[in-house]
Amino acid sequence: DAGVIQSPRHEVTEMGQEVTLRCKPISGHNSLFWYRQTMMRGLELLIYFNNNVPIDDSGMPEDRFSAKMPNASFSTLKIQPSEPRDSAVYFCASSLKWGGPTDTQYFGPGTRLTVL
Amino acid sequence: KQEVTQIPAALSVPEGENLVLNCSFTDSAIYNLQWFRQDPGKGLTSLLLIQSSQREQTSGRLNASLDKSSGRSTLYIAASQPGDSATYLCAVRPIRDDKIIFGKGTRLHILP
């Protein structure tokens, strides 16, 4: 399996522009997670889906952020409008299932976003 | 609110030495604790997962311990190699919560 696939790997945009990050989870995995990593705050969970349904979006910073999972093999994280403070590395992760004591997550390589 | 702390933030060690990375957490009500490895420009890879009822887990040269009552975990790396250079993150999963809480990591550099 190719693992979790994210695109683009790098994105540079100007303040106010819309940004869309994409994720393809590992085939057969039922849970998908979006994280943001910064030097100041570390790795933070933004939202996670179970069987394509958003379960917890309490980590989404504000209404400018939205995430969708239209099917089991694709998810997007959109920022509109983008701001310089959104600059970070965004990771997508997937899990075969989520809830058991030994369940773990498999991370993609991340998208490095820079908002000028 | 659960907080996870890793000290030091960075560590340099000569090749061949044994070393210990430390992790502390504020709430002992955890489901499990994991150690992840992150290489530059890449995602995280799970190294070891310790369930709350366990005291330690081993994989090759790595050994992770868990002392839930004191809110501490250690990752022991034996006979360090330059390939071990990476950032190591500790993460806990609180009871009755689906989220993982991550520490900020320890950046490890093994000197050849």
Side-chain angles (χ1 to χ4, degrees):
Chain A
D1 200 315
V4 176
I5 299 172
Q6 293 187 247
S7 64
R9 293 295 311 278
H10 303 272
E11 177 80 31
V12 180
T13 190
E14 293 188 348
M15 183 173 63
Q17 296 298 306
E18 177 179 299
V19 174
T20 299
L21 311 181
R22 297 173 176 80
C23 174
K24 176 179 171 55
I26 293 173
S27 178
H29 281 197
N30 295 318
S31 299
L32 183 141
F33 308 80
W34 282 101
Y35 289 90
R36 177 171 68 176
Q37 186 177 42
T38 61
M39 289 291 290
M40 287 295 294
R41 299 175 67 90
L43 198 64
E44 301 174 293
L45 178 68
L46 300 176
I47 185 172
Y48 89 92
F49 296 82
N50 201 36
N51 294 320
N52 312 337
V53 176
I55 302 300
D56 187 342
D57 65 355
S58 59
M60 297 286 262
E62 46 198 277
D63 292 345
R64 297 185 297 108
F65 286 69
S66 62
K68 293 182 180 180
M69 192 165 185
N71 57 62
S73 59
F74 184 66
S75 177
T76 60
L77 178 67
K78 186 177 293 187
I79 308 173
Q80 165 64 17
S82 58
E83 296 182 4
R85 60 192 168 121
D86 301 330
S87 297
V89 181
Y90 291 80
F91 288 101
C92 177
S94 70
S95 179
L96 182 62
K97 60 182 180 67
W98 190 244
T102 60
D103 295 336
T104 192
Q105 298 176 14
Y106 297 83
F107 282 75
T111 295
R112 180 173 294 277
L113 173 65
T114 302
V115 183
L116 304 174
Chain B
K1 178 187 172 185
Q2 177 74 266
E3 293 183 1
V4 180
T5 303
Q6 293 184 250
I7 295 174
L11 182 65
S12 292
V13 176
E15 179 180 3
E17 285 197 6
N18 304 324
L19 61 99
V20 174
L21 304 181
N22 295 298
C23 171
S24 62
F25 47 96
T26 54
D27 189 342
S28 62
I30 63 170
Y31 205 35
N32 59 43
L33 181 145
Q34 286 191 79
W35 283 92
F36 288 85
R37 170 179 172 145
Q38 184 176 20
D39 291 283
K42 297 187 178 180
L44 282 69
T45 301
S46 179
L47 297 173
L48 291 164
L49 182 150
I50 310 176
Q51 299 178 54
S52 62
S53 58
Q54 299 174 326
R55 296 283 295 184
E56 65 177 354
Q57 284 286 336
T58 298
S59 176
R61 294 183 294 109
L62 306 180
N63 176 277
S65 68
L66 173 64
D67 185 342
K68 210 170 54 169
S69 61
S70 67
R72 295 180 188 275
S73 176
T74 62
L75 179 66
Y76 174 84
I77 303 177
S80 59
Q81 303 171 359
D84 295 330
S85 297
T87 297
Y88 291 82
L89 292 94
C90 172
V92 301
R93 183 167 165 202
I95 289 176
R96 290 183 291 277
D97 194 338
D98 287 339
K99 298 179 183 178
I100 299 178
I101 310 300
F102 286 86
K104 291 186 179 180
T106 294
R107 190 170 63 253
L108 176 65
H109 182 46
I110 305 300
L111 305 167

